[in-house]
Each structure stands twice: as C-alpha cells, then as structure tokens.
C-alpha cells in the first residue's frame, strides 16, 4: 500500500473523530465523511468498519476507538516507509541482474562481435539462448517469490486485541468482550484471529489479575507490542533477502547470463576465426 493511502486513512478517521468530538451525531458525522471513508484501501476500510460497527453495537466510546485506529494507521505509514527504504536495495539488485544478459548482448553487438547473428544463424547459438531464456524465466519467478514473501501483509496484527479493548471500554467482562470481538473480527476479515492474539490476551488477563492493574491499559500495550514484533519480523526477513537472492542468482541467473551472452559471443568469435 502506498504511503499516501495510510496517511489519507488516518486523516479520514480523524475527521470523523473531530466531528463527533464537536457534538455531531454519529450518523451525521459518517454522512459528511462518507466519500473519504469510501476511498480507504480495502484492508483499512474493513478495519474501520469493524471498529465502527463494534463500537456502535456494544455502546463503547467511539471517540476512543477512532483515535486509536488513527494512531494505528499513522504507525503503519511509518513502518511502510521504513520497509520501502529497506526493500529498495534488494529490489534494485534483482532488477539489475535480470538485465545483465541483455546489456552484455548489446555491448557485444556494439563492439562488432555480432552475438545476435550467432543466435539466429547457429543451431548451437539458438539452443544456448533457448536454455538461457528458460533459466532466466525460472530465476525471475524464483526472485519474485522471494521478494513477495519478504513484503509485509496488509492486515494489522493488533486489530483483534483492539476489538477486545472496545468491548472492555464498553463495560463488558473480558469473556464477553472476547466473544464479541472474535465474532465481529471473523465476519469482517473472513478468517479467525491469529492464535498468538489469544496468547497475548491471556497474558494481559493474568498480569491484570496478579497486579490489579487495569486490563484495558495492559491490552493496549500488548497490541502495540504485537505490532512491534510484527515489524521486527518483517525487518528481519528483508535483511535476509540480500543473501537469499544470491541463490537464484547463482543457480539460474548467472548460468542464464553465460548461455544468453557469453556463448553467442564465443560462437561469433569462432565463426569469424578470432579464437
């Protein structure tokens, strides 16, 4: 998701929050901001609709829930900016190595070696290029999968815990707040919450029981910690990406480079008696 979409998502949510804070009824505030809300990206729109509907259903403080989700969208914007910067190096490397055979052929042609002629007039040259193209396609697909795997998912890992928080702020006991959050979350995203959410929820409940601290504040800290852990895992994947890209480079791209450029150049030189 582009940075601007995260920024616009946060701004749109803050406008709804500002209208509610100014005393407008919820329906009127939503009607005024309906165009901006409708333009949210699909994951942000689902998360906003979830928070809005859950707050309305349970009677929780909508302002607190909206301010919370605006902070989350701002955090996602910062995280994606950092991810984009970290990702740009491996992505540029992958693109560069894919163009190396073409650049080598053009250079060979420019200096008079005529590798392109060797490709079209020599069976060995045609075979070499065919094999090289196959390896290049395989290397490109392999590289694309590695790049896609390193990208962070668009969903917010702390969304479920924030949904439980809405129920607690509405005055529900923890079990009821968890049941409502689970039901609404699954309906909104069409899949159950990650199991790690329940582990963090149990940790928050246990810490609240043992210390007497308000579970809502502990849950906020748990949701934020879950997001930070997610950011760390994404950063770790990206840091390993440079090393992982060496595998398709060595197995597919470099052999393809030899077959697509070095072999045709050698054939051209041999046919001209220069070797």
């Amino acid at each position: 998701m582009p940075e601007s979409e995260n920024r616009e998502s946060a701004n749109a949510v803050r406008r709804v929050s500002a209208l509610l804070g100014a005393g407008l009824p919820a329906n009127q505030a939503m009607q005024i901001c309906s165009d901006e809300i409708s333009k949210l990206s699909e994951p942000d729109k689902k998360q906003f609709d979830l928070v809005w509907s859950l707050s309305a259903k349970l009677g929780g403080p909508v302002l607190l829930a909206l301010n919370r989700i605006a902070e989350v969208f701002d955090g996602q914007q910062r995280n994606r900016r950092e991810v984009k910067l970290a990702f740009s190096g491996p992505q540029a490397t992958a693109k560069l190595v894919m163009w190396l055979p073409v650049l080598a052929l053009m250079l060979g042609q420019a200096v008079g070696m005529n590798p392109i002629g060797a490709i079209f007039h020599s069976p060995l040259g045609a075979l070499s290029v065919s094999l090289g193209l196959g390896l290049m396609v395989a290397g490109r697909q392999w590289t694309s999968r590695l790049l896609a795997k390193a990208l962070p998912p668009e969903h917010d890992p702390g969304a479920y815990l924030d949904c439980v928080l809405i129920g607690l702020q509405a005055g529900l006991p923890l079990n009821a707040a968890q049941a409502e959050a689970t039901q609404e979350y699954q309906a909104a995203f069409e899949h159950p919450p990650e199991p790690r959410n329940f582990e963090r929820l149990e940790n928050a409940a246990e810490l609240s029981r043992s210390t007497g601290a308000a579970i809502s504040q502990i849950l906020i800290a748990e949701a934020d910690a879950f997001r930070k852990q997610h950011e760390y895992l994404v950063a770790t994947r990206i840091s390993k990406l440079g090393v992982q890209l060496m595998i398709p480079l060595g197995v597919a791209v470099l052999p393809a480079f030899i077959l697509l450029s070095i072999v045709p150049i050698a054939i051209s030189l041999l046919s001209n008696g220069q070797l």
Side-chain angles (χ1 to χ4, degrees), residues 82-95 238 241:
E82 294 170 359
V83 167
K84 183 178 180 181
L85 290 173
F87 199 72
S88 59
Q91 197 171 33
T93 300
K95 289 181 180 179
I238 293 176
L241 186 59

Side-chain angles (χ1 to χ4, degrees), residues 20 51 55-56 58-67 165-171:
L20 291 175
V51 168
S55 298
L58 302 181
V62 181
L63 272 177
L64 289 178
L66 291 182
N67 290 336
L165 177 64
I166 292 172
L168 294 174
Q169 291 172 337

Side-chain angles (χ1 to χ4, degrees), residues 220-231:
I220 290 174
E222 285 289 340
D224 289 341
F226 199 2
R227 293 183 176 102
K228 289 295 182 183
Q229 182 188 38
H230 180 75
E231 292 172 12

Side-chain angles (χ1 to χ4, degrees), residues 145-168:
R145 284 196 297 268
L146 289 175
L147 291 171
K149 189 177 179 181
L151 281 174
E154 293 188 340
H155 72 273
D156 173 25
Y160 173 74
L161 296 180
D162 281 348
C163 289
V164 178
L165 177 64
I166 292 172
L168 294 174

Side-chain angles (χ1 to χ4, degrees), residues 27-159:
N27 290 339
Q28 186 178 356
M30 275 294 292
Q31 185 176 5
I32 292 173
C33 299
S34 59
D35 287 342
E36 295 173 81
I37 297 300
S38 65
K39 293 176 183 177
L40 298 183
S41 65
E42 184 178 356
D44 287 355
K45 183 68 164 57
K46 286 183 178 180
Q47 190 167 350
F48 175 83
D49 289 344
L50 172 60
V51 168
W52 183 267
S53 63
L54 192 59
S55 298
K57 177 183 179 181
L58 302 181
V62 181
L63 272 177
L64 289 178
L66 291 182
N67 290 336
R68 174 70 173 164
I69 196 174
E71 292 177 2
V72 168
F73 288 160
D74 275 338
Q76 288 177 338
Q77 176 195 346
R78 291 191 298 270
N79 181 41
R80 287 185 179 278
R81 182 168 57 245
E82 294 170 359
V83 167
K84 183 178 180 181
L85 290 173
F87 199 72
S88 59
Q91 197 171 33
T93 300
K95 289 181 180 179
L96 175 62
V97 296
M98 292 300 172
W99 281 101
L100 283 178
V102 177
L103 294 175
L105 281 176
M106 292 175 62
L107 180 61
Q109 194 70 24
V111 299
M113 295 180 182
N114 195 26
I116 296 178
I119 293 172
F120 289 103
H121 298 99
S122 168
L124 181 58
L127 176 61
S128 176
V129 169
S130 299
L131 293 174
L133 287 174
L135 284 173
M136 185 59 70
V137 170
R140 183 179 180 83
Q141 292 177 344
W142 193 347
T143 300
S144 297
R145 284 196 297 268
L146 289 175
L147 291 171
K149 189 177 179 181
L151 281 174
E154 293 188 340
H155 72 273
D156 173 25

Side-chain angles (χ1 to χ4, degrees), residues 5 34 56 60 120 160-161 172 189 210 235 246:
E5 290 189 12
S34 59
F120 289 103
Y160 173 74
L161 296 180
L172 296 180
F189 292 106
S210 61
M246 295 298 103

